[in-house]
Amino acid sequence: MKYDALVVGSGIGGMESALKLGDMGYKVLVVEKEASVGGKMILLSKVFPTLDCASCISTPKMAATIHHPNIDVLTYAQVDGIRSDGNGGYHATIRQKPKFIDEVACTGCRQCEMACNVAVPDEFNAGMVSRRAAYIAFPQAVPKKAVIERAGVSPCTYECPAGIKAHGYVARVRSGEYDQAFDLVLETTPLVGSLGRACYAPCEDECTRGELEGPLPIRRLKRFIADRHYGQPQSTAPARPEANGKRVAIVGSGPAGLTAAWQLARKGYGVKIFESASTPGGMLSLGIPAYRLPNDVVADDVSNVTAIGVEIATDTRVDDVAALRNDGFDAVLVATGTHKSVSLRVAGEDLEGVRSALDFLRAVKLGEPVDLAGKRVLVVGGGNVAIDAARTARRLGAAAVDQASLECCEEMPAHDFEVDEARAEGITLHDGWGIDHFTGDHRVQGAELKVCTCVFDPDGRFHPEYDDSQRKSLACDVVIVAAGMGADTEAFGLETNGNHTLKADPGTLQTAVPHVFAAGDVVTGPTMITTAVGQGRRAAFMIDRYLQGIELDAGAFDEALPVVDKAEVLGRQDVYDRREPFEPSAVMSAAPSDFGETEGPMTEDEAFLGAARCLDCGVCSECHACVDACPADAIKLDMVGEEIEAEVGSVVLATGFKLFPADAKPQYGYGRYKNVITGMQMDRLLAPTRPYNAVLRPSDGKVPDNIAYIMCTGSRDETVDNPLCSKICCMYSVKQNQLIMGALPLADVTVYYIDVRSVGKGYDEFYQQARDMGANFVKGRVSGITETDEGNLVLRYEDIENGGTLAEAEHDMVVLAVGVQPNAEAQALFADGALGLDDYFYVGEADEDLDPGRTNLPGVFVAGSAAGAKDIPDSILHAGAAVAQAAAHLERAKVKVSA
């Protein structure tokens, strides 16, 4: 990109500079970091001293800037650096931030904004009200296009191995949109009900609210929306996607297989699942006990898959994967899990009464007869499968259930809450003990245990060590071994790893046979359900690319945005109200006798209160409400930023000023007292596009009748390192005084000042007019503010005109006339502080009287308040000077080139 001039910033100075240069015939690039051009002027109610409408003046310039044939404008973009090209020009690196909106398609209808359920402070209204994460900057925005604010990926969503938009469905539940929440989870996986019960919720471990009083019940909310969906009759069957003519075979119907089938079928592939068991679901149907995951819930989830045309062939074992290609399948996914039990390799393991936990749990889930009534059961293992087996044995009437684990309790692989619930149900845990051998004559009668001193070697490999001198015996009638799970892959003829899992590319999941992919536990070894779901999603994505002839790019599947920093999220507010976390409702019995669910459902009120605690870490929740609402299909949540390199002949810096942060004067209570506001906030209250229907004070919506102004807040003040007068504060306060007295004729306005500077055409007359209208000017500096119980504000001040005595006055609203400060962003654009600053850190000029606008860098000029505090007329005049300088530089460069 080549331009004659780069204008950084599109406030009144930037727009004036760009328009003048464009009118001269120069090609201009304007870069604005906000979503609209206009700068701070568009925020104002009126301009002084004429009281003309600020919007009426600025919007024509905004439109002219955007539509000028010689001007290109990049909004929501940022200049990251400017460097000299060595020939009098410059190279600029510009970062176009993703707007997540197709601007060409967007009509500015605001449907996305109205559908969005995430509220954030509205910068246009100085934070007094909220806007939505999907928003148009303000009513007069140019361009009038939506932007979606995304600070990153919320920690809960980022942590989910399945890729479920946890923040999104929480936001939908908060809005009472339960069907939409269910559909959002369906975008990732059909296993909504299963994950709502059996997921171990890594999302909750990362929930930012957990840094306060406790995490959100994210998993329980998923169960709530699943229970609600499955509990009501479905009026219509889901639409089947149009077939694309290609077929995919999936071997295994566990979480990975079902998820992959779901994703592929929705893209139009003909999908057939081959399942060796008599029922689909894998470990969901065969391994997880009904008190955690009832069979009918799994069946409901599986019905999501079959409803869109996926065929499931049960009792069908596949040994020859290659033969599936001959059966007309274009690709194959192997997702058989880890259903093979690992043995202990100890004496007596072959005795009758010793069986694997997987076989035991499978038999119980399939309803096969398992008689444990009155028997003593020993479960061997410390993982979740072992806990499930022990608790299942308890429900089958075992007289006693012991569990032996190599690991001590704190190091057991099983989750802490599972261990606690097992103990509550009467299971005796022998942690730190391993099996030496089993005893018995043909049938097991007991076990000899020995103390385990170490489970893993220094390299983290499983290598238990024992103290043979410490032993004990346990009598038992049945032993259930949960020593681990392995993959059964020998018959497939595919390359395997040392642990018999299939070898597949970790990013694409493609095996050495190009049309064969593998996913889930058969690749990773035993993991969580959500990990297998995520593998299934990735496999479907890659199979789709493979069958379309697109390169298998692992990075194309991964999330483009980084995770949000939790400390940054918590830093958005100073104080958080305590909201009690949802307490678990598991009902435990010391002698459980059935397989009824131990965890009860959430009520609608509980679901709302749980979801309402969300902090909206990523700002946009990825709930897809905007996607559903947009009539133009303009929402593009996968949009990524772009880095642009531009060659420019000159640079005009119109970066403006920063408002003094009012909370830097803590004695005035800004941020603590709601009715202490800034001058910019009062300008918004007085504007035609104001946030409320009238001038109201923020704390209670009362119409104020006694308003105070404190002048020179943060200017002419050495204590905050801002000794300069900001020039504009007196006049904008006087302007507001007149507007208030017009809008609230009965209101009293008191101005606390040191002196009033009214240097400018008509300014002194403007000031006198305010006094004549009834504004009361009190000479004296305010030392502090306190708040009454009613929200009124008591000012303590020095009354100079009455002998300098200390006095107090009560007002129902206080406006701080904050000053301006230099914008440090301008200097940061150039390496090594190359851009010169004046003594007060504004952009330095060669001579502000005789050579205005020219900086110490050839070809770099400054316009408007980036060079110092200026009102609107001065900013426009100064922009004209900068343009004249830039044009002269460009013409000299042309002469130099032609010579």
Side-chain angles (χ1 to χ4, degrees):
M1 300 173 68
K2 297 188 75 169
Y3 293 90
D4 295 311
L6 166 67
V7 178
V8 185
S10 69
I12 188 63
M15 291 190 295
E16 192 71 19
S17 300
L19 287 169
K20 282 184 163 61
L21 286 167
D23 288 344
M24 292 178 184
Y26 296 112
K27 296 295 291 182
V28 182
L29 175 64
V30 177
V31 179
E32 169 56 52
K33 66 181 180 180
E34 302 298 339
S36 169
V37 298
K40 292 186 175 64
M41 182 177 173
I42 191 65
L43 305 176
L44 305 178
S45 53
K46 307 281 186 179
V47 297
F48 56 79
T50 61
L51 294 185
D52 289 327
C53 171
S55 178
C56 299
I57 297 171
S58 58
T59 47
K61 284 189 180 292
M62 293 160 64
T65 302
I66 286 287
H67 297 298
H68 198 291
N70 289 331
I71 301 175
D72 289 339
V73 179
L74 295 176
T75 56
Y76 213 57
Q78 194 163 320
V79 179
D80 282 341
I82 302 173
R83 59 195 185 281
S84 172
D85 65 3
N87 296 309
Y90 289 87
H91 289 289
T93 301
I94 302 162
R95 177 164 46 91
Q96 176 63 70
K97 297 180 287 186
K99 299 177 181 179
F100 305 104
I101 298 285
D102 180 348
E103 276 200 320
V104 175
C106 178
T107 64
C109 68
R110 296 184 61 237
Q111 292 297 313
C112 58
E113 186 174 352
M114 290 184 280
C116 181
N117 52 44
V118 173
V120 293
D122 183 5
E123 302 91 339
F124 177 67
N125 284 304
M128 290 186 290
V129 292
S130 296
R131 60 164 172 83
R132 298 295 161 175
Y135 69 104
I136 292 175
F138 46 88
Q140 304 86 3
V142 178
K144 194 170 183 179
K145 305 287 185 178
V147 171
I148 297 176
E149 182 181 349
R150 298 186 66 186
V153 181
S154 296
C156 57
T157 297
Y158 190 86
E159 192 65 20
C160 178
I164 295 170
K165 308 298 185 188
H167 182 189
Y169 74 74
V170 168
R172 289 284 204 168
V173 171
R174 180 176 59 195
S175 299
E177 299 170 339
Y178 308 128
D179 290 337
Q180 294 87 342
F182 182 89
D183 290 342
L184 183 64
V185 181
L186 275 184
E187 289 290 318
T188 301
T189 179
L191 308 177
V192 189
S194 297
L195 291 175
R197 286 166 165 81
C199 176
Y200 288 114
C203 52
E204 295 182 15
D205 293 336
E206 290 302 315
C207 176
T208 306
R209 194 90 205 189
E211 304 292 317
L212 301 173
E213 66 281 327
L216 272 67
I218 302 173
R219 175 188 63 79
R220 297 291 300 275
L221 290 171
K222 195 187 300 106
R223 173 179 172 176
F224 169 78
I225 59 178
D227 287 351
R228 190 178 181 91
H229 179 84
Y230 292 141
Q232 60 190 11
Q234 303 305 308
S235 56
T236 58
R240 294 195 178 194
E242 184 178 348
N244 61 21
K246 294 183 179 180
R247 302 178 67 209
V248 179
I250 296 179
V251 185
S253 67
L258 288 170
T259 299
W262 169 256
Q263 295 288 348
L264 290 166
R266 293 171 70 213
K267 295 178 182 292
Y269 292 97
V271 181
K272 184 172 183 177
I273 299 176
F274 297 90
E275 170 57 55
S276 62
S278 60
T279 184
M283 282 294 180
L284 304 177
S285 297
L286 304 174
I288 301 178
Y291 64 83
R292 286 182 54 206
L293 180 57
N295 290 344
D296 58 351
V297 174
V298 181
D300 285 336
D301 286 344
V302 172
S303 70
N304 293 327
V305 181
T306 56
I308 59 170
V310 174
E311 182 182 354
I312 302 178
T314 56
D315 293 313
T316 306
R317 180 178 176 87
V318 173
D319 290 324
D320 190 352
V321 172
L324 292 171
R325 188 69 177 266
N326 300 329
D327 293 337
F329 292 101
D330 299 285
V332 177
L333 173 64
V334 180
T336 51
T338 49
H339 291 262
K340 190 174 182 179
S341 298
V342 175
S343 67
L344 291 172
R345 297 193 296 275
V346 299
E349 195 172 4
D350 57 350
L351 290 170
E352 186 180 345
V354 179
R355 66 187 305 179
S356 76
L358 293 182
D359 290 342
F360 169 68
L361 292 171
R362 174 193 292 250
V364 175
K365 282 292 288 236
L366 292 177
E368 298 174 4
V370 179
D371 181 15
L372 295 183
K375 295 181 179 179
R376 299 165 299 177
V377 177
L378 170 63
V379 177
V380 181
N384 293 313
V385 173
I387 294 287
D388 287 345
R391 296 178 69 184
T392 296
R394 197 84 176 100
R395 283 163 172 75
L396 292 175
V401 179
D402 293 282
Q403 182 176 343
S405 166
L406 291 174
E407 301 87 359
C408 63
C409 189
E410 295 75 16
E411 297 173 352
M412 286 174 63
H415 291 84
D416 292 343
F417 76 90
E418 291 259 42
V419 176
D420 293 341
E421 290 179 3
R423 282 177 159 159
E425 291 183 348
I427 293 159
T428 303
L429 181 63
H430 304 271
D431 55 318
W433 291 85
I435 303 298
D436 183 77
H437 64 275
F438 297 112
T439 60
D441 185 10
H442 300 296
R443 183 171 184 85
V444 69
Q445 294 177 325
E448 188 76 13
L449 279 62
K450 55 186 176 182
V451 167
C452 178
T453 58
C454 181
V455 180
F456 300 98
D457 67 15
D459 295 326
R461 291 172 299 199
F462 182 71
H463 190 271
E465 296 180 5
Y466 302 95
D467 181 356
D468 286 319
S469 67
Q470 298 188 62
R471 292 174 174 260
K472 67 179 177 181
S473 300
L474 287 177
C476 56
D477 304 305
V478 175
V479 173
I480 301 172
V481 178
M485 300 181 290
D488 184 5
T489 57
E490 289 83 356
F492 292 145
L494 298 172
E495 190 175 357
T496 62
N497 299 302
N499 62 354
H500 303 294
T501 55
L502 291 181
K503 185 174 287 187
D505 183 281
T508 67
L509 300 181
Q510 189 177 37
T511 69
V513 180
H515 73 279
V516 178
F517 294 75
D521 290 5
V522 74
V523 173
T524 63
T527 56
M528 297 188 298
I529 302 171
T530 45
T531 304
V533 167
Q535 286 260 306
R537 281 184 61 236
R538 180 180 289 272
F541 180 85
M542 296 302 169
I543 290 170
D544 177 46
R545 291 177 75 92
Y546 169 77
L547 293 178
Q548 291 189 68
I550 303 174
E551 180 187 0
L552 300 188
D553 178 9
F557 178 79
D558 297 323
E559 175 63 58
L561 294 179
V563 65
V564 176
D565 181 72
K566 289 194 274 188
E568 180 183 314
V569 174
L570 293 172
R572 294 173 187 167
Q573 292 180 211
D574 293 329
V575 179
Y576 288 88
D577 294 335
R578 181 175 178 84
R579 298 187 179 186
E580 293 300 327
F582 181 75
E583 294 296 331
S585 59
V587 178
M588 310 308 300
S589 168
S593 58
D594 60 40
F595 284 87
E597 290 188 81
T598 57
E599 181 182 80
M602 296 181 91
T603 65
E604 187 171 4
D605 285 345
E606 289 171 338
F608 171 75
L609 291 173
R613 297 176 58 240
C614 180
L615 297 173
D616 292 317
C617 301
V619 185
C620 167
S621 69
E622 302 178 87
C623 73
H624 292 190
C626 56
V627 177
D628 296 342
C630 180
D633 194 26
I635 311 298
K636 306 296 176 188
L637 292 177
D638 58 352
M639 185 178 285
V640 296
E642 179 185 5
E643 188 172 281
I644 300 168
E645 291 291 334
E647 299 177 30
V648 298
S650 62
V651 178
V652 178
L653 301 174
T655 50
F657 57 79
K658 296 284 189 183
L659 285 171
F660 175 78
D663 55 3
K665 298 285 288 184
Q667 62 267 43
Y668 293 158
Y670 181 78
R672 288 184 291 123
Y673 306 147
K674 291 183 178 180
N675 295 322
V676 177
I677 65 173
T678 66
M680 180 58 79
Q681 289 175 313
M682 177 53 84
D683 240 309
R684 292 305 309 141
L685 289 177
L686 293 165
T689 56
R690 57 190 169 213
Y692 313 128
N693 292 329
V695 179
L696 307 174
R697 71 177 191 172
S699 69
D700 53 12
K702 172 189 170 185
V703 176
D705 53 24
N706 189 350
I707 302 171
Y709 274 76
I710 299 178
M711 307 295 276
C712 299
T713 302
S715 63
R716 303 170 67 190
D717 191 341
E718 296 279 2
T719 66
V720 291
D721 298 321
N722 196 28
L724 284 180
C725 172
S726 295
K727 297 184 180 179
I728 61 174
C729 315
C730 293
M731 285 299 102
Y732 81 59
S733 297
V734 169
K735 172 195 73 175
Q736 291 176 9
N737 295 167
Q738 294 198 25
L739 294 175
I740 289 170
M741 289 183 284
L744 305 173
L746 300 180
D748 293 325
V749 178
T750 304
V751 180
Y752 296 89
Y753 74 104
I754 299 300
D755 54 34
V756 175
R757 298 191 174 185
S758 53
V759 181
K761 184 178 179 181
Y763 285 12
D764 193 55
E765 293 86 348
F766 191 58
Y767 162 61
Q768 290 298 333
Q769 185 178 9
R771 296 192 74 127
D772 293 343
M773 290 175 68
N776 179 31
F777 283 77
V778 175
K779 188 166 188 176
R781 188 175 291 278
V782 176
S783 62
I785 298 177
T786 56
E787 186 180 50
T788 69
D789 293 339
E790 295 78 23
N792 292 339
L793 302 154
V794 178
L795 276 66
R796 186 174 177 81
Y797 66 97
E798 176 190 22
D799 190 349
I800 293 176
E801 294 180 336
N802 289 302
T805 59
L806 292 179
E808 289 187 351
E810 184 172 328
H811 304 273
D812 51 16
M813 194 159 146
V814 172
V815 181
L816 304 179
V818 294
V820 301
Q821 294 181 318
N823 186 350
E825 293 173 4
Q827 188 184 38
L829 299 176
F830 300 87
D832 303 322
L835 180 67
L837 304 179
D838 66 15
D839 293 340
Y840 302 101
F841 304 104
Y842 289 95
V843 177
E845 298 175 89
D847 187 321
E848 64 181 73
D849 296 320
L850 301 178
D851 201 3
R854 183 165 66 85
T855 72
N856 66 309
L857 298 177
V860 178
F861 308 96
V862 60
S865 56
K870 292 176 175 59
D871 59 20
I872 292 169
D874 280 351
S875 293
I876 293 173
L877 288 171
H878 195 263
V883 166
Q885 296 270 26
H889 172 80
L890 292 170
E891 293 305 312
R892 284 193 296 269
K894 288 180 182 179
V895 172
K896 181 178 178 181
V897 170
S898 61

